[in-house]
Amino acid sequence: MSGIALSPLEVAAAPRSEAAPSRWNPYLIGAGIGVLSWLVFVIVAAPIGITTAGAQVAGGVAALFIGPEAVQANAYWARNPFRLDYGTLFLVGTALGGMVSALARGAFRVEHVPAVWSERFGPSIGKRFAWAFLGGALIMFASRLANGCTSGNGISQGLQLAVVGWVFFAAMFVSGVATAWLMFRTR
Amino acid sequence: MFPVSKEVALWLAPVFGFAFGWLLERGRVLDYNVIVNQLRLRDFTVLKIMLTAILVGGVGVYALVELGFARWHLRDANLGGAGLGGLLFGVGMAIYGYCPGTGLAAAATGRTHALVGMLGMIAGAIAYAFAFDWLRGTVLAWSNLGRVTLADVTGLPLWALYAALAVVAVGLFAALERWQARVRA
């Protein structure tokens, strides 16, 4: 199925990645995120991060099922309660930014199964959804264990040359490459 | 004047978040294929973005801290948490094809599988909250160096480490571009 190796160029020409006109150079994007870091460090004294607020939102969701008392009694949520604060509002902005950018360049479209997945694992929507759910659960659990994700640890701690950021970045990259190799290798 | 009050920061949060989401979308990293092909070492967009963000952000923040306009926001170097967390994270990222920030923004661009992954993220956070007491006594208790930087552990000055990072990053980018040009030819 996926015996054919895609070169970077062919990948770039795949349908979903195509709508290219208003896409920017990755170095420019990286520099933009770097400058955004300068701004948030100075103006709001809050580095870019996603999952601390994500876990707060999860606490809000959990309260619907197990009741707010049980959530408040939890040692983790007692430290990170659900509320509309800087972190959770940042998440709202991140989702809106992605959406408006896609709409503005006509790239907003429904995608159930991405191309590279489909080539290897077939077009089944249920299969892709099941694995996406599991993968999502894993990255969130892992981010809380590491006290940050690609943004909060990798970029925001990494740019301060914090040991935690670089340990996380290295571990994530090595295991990500190893897992992708196991998933996509052809015998 | 800076940092602004908590109330003003609440208004700025969605603005900064918006800029972040916009940059991720324009940078092609809301595309599952781009992220997974990074992990398959076929597309280096993710690494280019992250390393440039770390380099540009880091040098600037270092200067801003030295000049007194900002302060550091270091987190504990909990080696068990960061190491094991990083390893687990890589597995999840290869399966899901997103990290939390890109998954969130991708779900907002019509990618339903990214949205399903967000439901998984909520489940993962709930699982973590229930495992927290146990983790606190085990993995998180293994080794905590405190809020240390690479300067603290190497004994080298920060400016030298930033300079070294710049040399390594630019060298890596140059090598990547040369290699990619050859692959395309």
Side-chain angles (χ1 to χ4, degrees):
Chain A
M1 235 173 312
S2 79
I4 321 122
L6 287 178
S7 78
L9 251 200
E10 289 171 298
V11 169
R16 199 35 156 95
S17 346
E18 196 198 9
S22 41
R23 293 198 135 154
W24 303 344
N25 175 311
Y27 301 116
L28 201 61
I29 296 289
I33 295 172
V35 171
L36 184 62
S37 286
W38 304 351
L39 296 177
V40 294
F41 266 76
V42 172
I43 298 174
V44 288
I48 295 172
I50 299 287
T51 50
T52 306
Q56 291 172 235
V57 174
V61 174
L64 301 175
F65 296 101
I66 59 173
E69 295 79 18
V71 169
Q72 278 156 21
N74 180 280
Y76 181 78
W77 282 316
R79 293 178 182 195
N80 304 280
F82 176 56
R83 54 175 178 238
L84 273 189
D85 59 8
Y86 179 86
T88 43
L89 288 169
F90 186 89
L91 295 189
V92 173
T94 301
L96 282 176
M99 180 188 276
V100 171
S101 171
L103 285 171
R105 63 185 191 87
F108 185 102
R109 64 189 73 122
V110 172
E111 175 190 84
H112 299 308
V113 183
V116 167
W117 175 278
S118 170
E119 268 162 37
R120 179 74 180 88
F121 302 107
S124 161
I125 295 174
K127 191 173 175 184
R128 171 61 192 148
F129 278 14
W131 285 100
F133 187 92
L134 178 76
L138 267 178
I139 56 169
M140 193 64 181
F141 188 93
S143 302
R144 292 300 78 217
L145 187 57
N147 199 17
C149 61
T150 337
S151 313
N153 256 343
I155 294 177
S156 294
Q157 292 300 306
L159 72 84
Q160 300 180 77
L161 302 184
V163 169
V164 62
W166 287 90
V167 168
F168 177 82
F169 195 9
M172 161 196 119
F173 207 81
V174 168
S175 95
V177 168
T179 308
W181 181 77
L182 286 172
M183 288 173 68
F184 288 93
R185 84 198 144 132
T186 45
R187 263 169 282 199
Chain B
M1 175 155 176
F2 293 133
V4 296
S5 70
K6 274 212 148 62
E7 291 71 35
V8 177
L10 283 184
W11 288 99
L12 292 174
V15 177
F16 290 137
F18 188 95
F20 188 52
W22 180 287
L23 286 165
L24 295 177
E25 206 283 329
R26 294 290 151 138
R28 300 174 58 224
V29 289
L30 301 191
D31 186 342
Y32 165 96
N33 305 308
V34 169
I35 297 185
V36 166
N37 278 335
Q38 167 67 72
L39 296 179
R40 297 168 80 197
L41 307 177
R42 291 167 184 222
D43 179 324
F44 285 82
T45 304
V46 175
L47 193 67
K48 288 177 193 172
I49 290 178
M50 283 192 72
L51 262 188
T52 310
I54 287 171
L55 180 61
V56 171
V59 171
V61 165
Y62 171 59
L64 288 165
V65 169
E66 288 290 308
L67 294 170
F69 291 112
R71 64 177 178 83
W72 298 112
H73 292 273
L74 291 166
R75 289 179 180 170
D76 278 350
N78 187 311
L79 298 184
L84 196 63
L87 290 176
L88 267 180
F89 191 95
V91 175
M93 188 158 154
I95 294 173
Y96 180 29
Y98 292 106
C99 62
T102 51
L104 166 70
T109 65
R111 288 153 166 113
T112 52
H113 60 110
L115 186 65
V116 171
M118 280 182 63
L119 300 179
M121 283 195 243
I122 290 173
I126 292 173
Y128 182 80
F130 285 113
F132 181 62
D133 278 325
W134 180 76
L135 290 164
R136 210 160 33 160
T138 52
V139 179
L140 295 175
W142 288 344
S143 167
N144 190 341
L145 305 184
R147 297 177 178 180
V148 290
T149 65
L150 296 176
D152 298 316
V153 292
T154 59
L156 294 167
L158 269 176
W159 66 262
L161 289 167
Y162 278 115
L165 176 65
V167 171
V168 170
V170 172
L172 181 67
F173 294 154
L176 271 176
E177 295 303 330
R178 228 172 323 152
W179 175 70
Q180 287 186 316
R182 222 178 32 227
V183 170
R184 278 186 200 123

